[in-house]
Amino acid sequence: MNLRHVRKVRRAGAVVLLASALLFSVAACGGDDKGPNKAPAASSDAGKGQGKQTPEDDETLPDRSKTLATLKGDGGVEMVVHSARRDSGGFLTISGEIKNTSGQSFVTPLQWNGQEEAVARAGSSFAGMTLVDSVGKKRYYVLRDTDNRPLTTSNYELTIGAGKSLTFFAQFPSPPSTTTKVDLQFPGFPNATIEISG
């Protein structure tokens, strides 16, 4: 066996060894789709017309089978309130959608974010929404988390295209169980009395 033949055999062996190592590492990293650390595949339809909502927000998307109020706002948009539901944790969640019924794009106003500086820094939101319990003579504001971010739909696209809609939710402290109706107030829309369920 000459020296040239030995070199060829060694090179072939090294290539086979390297290919085996690569194959093993690929199999170890992603072979089994049922592994505990396997991330779910992203949906190509995620976020279409919904704003930038997180998966946890899915449960707050409105049930469109019922409409509590339809408010015509400035700029050819409508706010449709689908539910005002008490939660077991002592919250009241308002959910619905903003529909752009005009023939042109609608730019969401800064007033929707509310007037508090700390909340305004959190980006686009529905923190400007308030509820008024006229019987109990109390006003309720959107709840905040420990980082002062409003518990509402946030970081949505600032423009709603013609014929498009933006779903929303907003969480408030729940009024007393004796309160069955509240007045919803949101910049750019008329006040509306809505009925609480649950």
Side-chain angles (χ1 to χ4, degrees):
M1 183 180 286
N2 64 23
L3 191 57
R4 182 180 294 173
H5 185 67
V6 171
R7 285 183 186 154
K8 283 183 182 178
V9 170
R10 284 185 181 167
R11 279 190 200 139
V15 169
V16 170
L17 184 61
L18 182 60
S20 299
L22 285 173
L23 205 64
F24 177 75
S25 63
V26 168
C29 290
D32 187 5
D33 286 348
K34 298 178 182 177
N37 296 326
K38 180 71 176 173
S43 169
S44 60
D45 293 334
K48 283 188 180 176
Q50 302 294 329
K52 295 180 182 175
Q53 295 180 338
T54 60
E56 293 80 27
D57 294 337
D58 288 347
E59 63 189 41
T60 60
L61 292 178
D63 174 8
R64 294 180 178 89
S65 63
K66 188 174 181 183
T67 298
L68 301 181
T70 300
L71 316 175
K72 296 196 179 295
D74 301 334
V77 293
E78 292 180 353
M79 174 188 281
V80 181
V81 180
H82 292 295
S83 70
R85 189 186 71 227
R86 279 191 173 94
D87 299 330
S88 58
F91 306 123
L92 175 66
T93 302
I94 306 293
S95 61
E97 56 189 323
I98 305 290
K99 293 182 176 180
N100 183 358
T101 57
S102 73
Q104 56 190 3
S105 294
F106 174 79
V107 178
T108 60
L110 286 174
Q111 289 84 355
W112 287 12
N113 304 337
Q115 297 181 352
E116 297 176 49
E117 283 186 28
V119 174
R121 285 197 297 269
S124 55
S125 73
F126 283 75
M129 188 179 292
T130 57
L131 300 178
V132 176
D133 176 3
S134 55
V135 175
K137 297 182 179 178
K138 285 187 177 181
R139 180 183 299 273
Y140 296 91
Y141 294 89
V142 172
L143 290 166
R144 318 292 196 245
D145 66 12
T146 54
D147 294 322
N148 221 14
R149 291 176 303 213
L151 297 181
T152 176
T153 301
S154 58
N155 295 323
Y156 49 80
E157 297 295 330
L158 297 178
T159 301
I160 304 173
K164 302 293 184 180
S165 62
L166 167 67
T167 58
F168 72 87
F169 78 96
Q171 285 191 324
F172 299 85
S174 181
S177 57
T178 53
T179 299
T180 58
K181 293 181 179 180
V182 289
D183 294 328
L184 184 148
Q185 299 177 343
F186 193 57
F189 294 90
N191 295 352
T193 301
I194 56 175
E195 190 169 350
I196 300 172
S197 64

